[in-house]
Amino acid sequence: MQASISEIRLHKEGVHRKRRKRVRIPTVSAEQNRILAIIGQGYVGLPLAMAAVDAGWTVIGIDNFEAKVAQINSGKSPIEDISDTQLQRALASGAYRASADYTSVAKASVITICVPTPLDEKREPDLSLLQGAATAIAPFVSNETLVVSESTSYPGTLRDIIVPIVDSLKPRATTRVYFASAPERVNPGDPIWSQKNTPRLVGAIDRKSQERALAFYESICDTAVAVSTPEIAEAAKLLENTFRLVNIALVNEFAQLCAASGINVHEVIDAASSKPYGFMPFRPGVGVGGHCIPVDPLYLTWWARQNGGRAIFVESADSVNHAMPKYVAERALSMVNANIKNPKVLILGVAYKPGVGDVRETPVSELRDHLKLKGADIAWHDPLVQAWEDSSPVDLDWDCDVAILATKQPGMNLEQLINRGVQILDCTNSLKGQADISSL
Ligand SMILES: NC(=O)c1ccc[n+]([C@@H]2O[C@H](COP(=O)([O-])OP(=O)(O)OC[C@H]3O[C@@H](n4cnc5c(N)ncnc54)[C@H](O)[C@@H]3O)[C@@H](O)[C@H]2O)c1
């Protein structure tokens, strides 16, 4: 089953051709040192780097985006979860630096790959960045190095894509490389769950690899959970995020049914939450966004199709969530006097979730498109986003006919809007019991 996926991908990406290419560099045995190279210094890689520094590792954070490398080395963190102070402390200690130079991975005993795994234009897995990272590190992997993929992907990615690339391009002197998959579970903006206290799944290609991977993650995380294969770890990650996608879709659909009957869906969810077992509350919203929930389940649906199956339930959940921005646009416009031809709509919060400035896959883009189609004049406000799709934010005193609270950001003071009597469609359940506020 996995072999067929592998063959398709390897053939497509021309990896067979690359196998003949060998690079000679002097390598050392990486068995003893505590030097970690992390490929990708984003929402996953940078927090991992800081956690590893705290655990006593020396970390080289490699990123192919040179401007980001320069920013990090200047002590300015590109992500909300890592403060400038924490980053500056790590840099000053000499235990961390960012680099765009792959040759430095030759010093590492552990290399973790934390690069994006997005969708392509057909909304199918795009592993080009992952393959690019594996290809770039391979010539510099020292003997006895552990290579771990933390990127989210479909089952078989480590064994069928990463291992063949590294094995085919590694230096001649490197006779033994260990491989594992340990999908990252970080939840950006979460004040409770971090790299350290979130249990880490670890699945490796053989016993020695598993021992090394567990020892590595046990040095950084409170708990490492051993699973029997990398495919189990990869599939578990897809299941976790698909679980969220389908439950959000369920509650988004349910919210529409409740609204049509004049029932407050949040009161229903609160009521159902009083059941002490078998129920977990999810809240409706504008849709799903970010690099995980809208993307990872489509890795699952693609993987299902490659294996001759269909993940119909997941596809259906994806459709329900994608229909939400249109529903929200229509609800908001129904609050405006029908005589106004081009209503002015203020969107509050464009990031995909509170506490982050991340606008990747934000459902607010589709919301804005639907509002525009209906002739609305749109502006937006988000204290954590300075620019979005070539436009700038406005202040909260922007004169509007209706406001849509899409993402309730910290530092967003809505009192002045409420005091002005602006009608607000609250998609976040954070403005309860106020006049002029409609809840999703
Ligand atoms: N963001 C999350 O909440 C989250 C949570 C869990 C898992 N993940 C998964 O982790 C992976 C990384 O996601 P992220 O959110 O950290 O992405 P990100 O975009 O925040 O960071 C990735 C970094 O990798 C760099 N990069 C891309 N290709 C590279 C290459 N070939 N060599 C070196 N650097 C390269 C980019 O410049 C970028 O700085 C993805 O597979 C994602 O699905 C993300």
Side-chain angles (χ1 to χ4, degrees):
M1 199 161 67
Q2 284 149 2
S4 63
I5 295 172
S6 152
E7 280 160 17
I8 294 162
R9 301 300 293 183
L10 289 175
H11 180 70
K12 218 168 156 186
E13 306 299 337
V15 167
H16 290 308
R17 268 185 287 116
K18 288 179 184 158
R19 276 197 178 140
R20 273 179 238 116
K21 201 169 115 192
R22 283 194 178 267
V23 179
R24 276 169 180 270
I25 60 148
T27 55
V28 290
S29 172
E31 199 168 5
Q32 298 299 333
N33 74 46
R34 276 169 71 87
I35 299 176
L36 166 66
I38 303 174
I39 316 304
Q41 290 295 277
Y43 280 93
V44 166
L46 190 56
L48 174 68
M50 296 301 108
V53 166
D54 288 346
W57 287 78
T58 297
V59 181
I60 308 154
I62 297 196
D63 203 290
N64 63 0
F65 185 19
E66 297 207 6
K68 189 183 244 186
V69 168
Q71 179 185 340
I72 292 173
N73 283 336
S74 76
K76 186 132 184 41
S77 173
I79 60 169
E80 300 82 9
D81 285 350
I82 300 299
S83 69
D84 291 352
T85 314
Q86 186 181 6
L87 177 60
Q88 286 160 13
R89 209 183 313 123
L91 289 163
S93 73
Y96 172 72
R97 73 182 164 82
S99 170
D101 177 11
Y102 286 96
T103 62
S104 50
V105 306
K107 296 182 197 145
S109 61
V110 180
I111 302 170
T112 58
I113 303 177
C114 306
V115 300
T117 42
L119 299 172
D120 64 16
E121 64 289 344
K122 290 192 284 183
R123 292 184 65 73
E124 292 185 350
D126 175 2
L127 295 190
S128 57
L129 298 175
L130 192 62
Q131 289 169 312
T135 305
I137 61 165
F140 310 111
V141 172
S142 294
N143 200 31
E144 300 281 334
T145 299
L146 168 68
V147 175
V148 186
S149 177
E150 294 204 0
S151 292
T152 306
S153 189
Y154 54 81
T157 300
L158 178 81
R159 201 185 296 270
D160 299 340
I161 308 273
I162 296 174
V163 173
I165 292 174
V166 174
D167 273 348
S168 62
L169 299 175
K170 67 185 188 322
R172 281 185 208 286
T174 297
T175 52
R176 183 65 161 109
V177 181
Y178 305 95
F179 291 98
S181 170
E184 175 53 63
R185 291 164 151 173
V186 71
N187 183 21
D190 191 325
I192 298 169
W193 296 105
S194 64
Q195 299 254 359
K196 180 153 170 43
N197 64 5
T198 304
R200 175 70 73 136
L201 293 179
V202 179
I205 58 164
D206 54 37
R207 191 177 55 79
K208 282 264 179 217
S209 297
Q210 182 74 339
E211 280 171 15
R212 288 185 178 236
L214 284 172
F216 170 64
Y217 283 104
E218 278 164 359
S219 77
I220 291 174
C221 309
D222 295 344
T223 313
V225 180
V227 296
S228 59
T229 64
E231 290 76 19
I232 299 280
E234 290 163 334
K237 174 70 190 177
L238 293 190
L239 175 62
E240 291 165 16
N241 282 354
T242 304
F243 172 84
R244 292 195 50 206
L245 178 96
V246 298
N247 278 289
I248 292 168
L250 170 65
V251 85
N252 277 337
E253 187 173 76
F254 192 72
Q256 295 176 53
L257 301 176
C258 286
S261 300
I263 292 175
N264 182 323
V265 68
H266 295 288
E267 202 177 337
V268 178
I269 296 167
D270 290 343
S273 299
S274 65
K275 185 179 178 185
Y277 56 89
F279 183 80
M280 188 182 282
F282 285 82
R283 298 284 167 177
V286 179
V288 288
H291 189 31
C292 294
I293 307 301
V295 174
D296 302 350
L298 299 194
Y299 273 62
L300 181 61
T301 56
W302 179 88
W303 179 63
R305 290 196 300 277
Q306 296 308 302
N307 292 306
R310 281 278 303 278
I312 295 165
F313 188 55
V314 184
E315 286 173 8
S316 172
D318 183 50
S319 306
V320 170
N321 287 332
H322 270 289
M324 277 312 279
K326 182 166 185 274
Y327 171 75
V328 171
E330 285 167 0
R331 278 279 303 270
L333 294 176
S334 73
M335 293 164 67
V336 178
N337 185 325
N339 295 329
I340 302 174
K341 277 231 155 45
N342 301 107
K344 298 181 86 175
V345 182
L346 177 60
I347 300 176
L348 303 164
V350 297
Y352 80 93
K353 72 170 183 174
V356 298
D358 192 349
V359 291
R360 286 179 296 182
E361 304 275 333
T362 177
V364 180
S365 297
E366 285 188 42
L367 171 63
R368 184 222 28 221
D369 292 347
H370 287 295
L371 290 166
K372 268 192 178 164
L373 270 177
K374 299 278 181 188
D377 180 9
I378 299 145
W380 61 276
H381 173 87
D382 189 317
L384 297 187
V385 180
Q386 272 78 50
W388 174 56
E389 298 185 354
D390 298 327
S391 63
S392 303
V394 296
D395 290 334
L396 287 174
D397 56 10
W398 194 75
D399 188 30
C400 63
D401 298 302
V402 66
I404 302 173
L405 180 53
T407 304
K408 176 74 172 71
Q409 292 286 31
M412 191 184 258
N413 181 4
L414 300 178
E415 284 301 307
Q416 57 162 295
L417 277 178
I418 294 167
N419 293 342
R420 269 165 44 214
V422 171
Q423 297 194 87
I424 302 176
L425 175 61
D426 176 14
C427 305
T428 66
N429 193 32
S430 46
L431 302 176
K432 292 173 211 161
Q434 309 258 15
D436 300 316
I437 310 277
S438 294
S439 183
L440 200 60

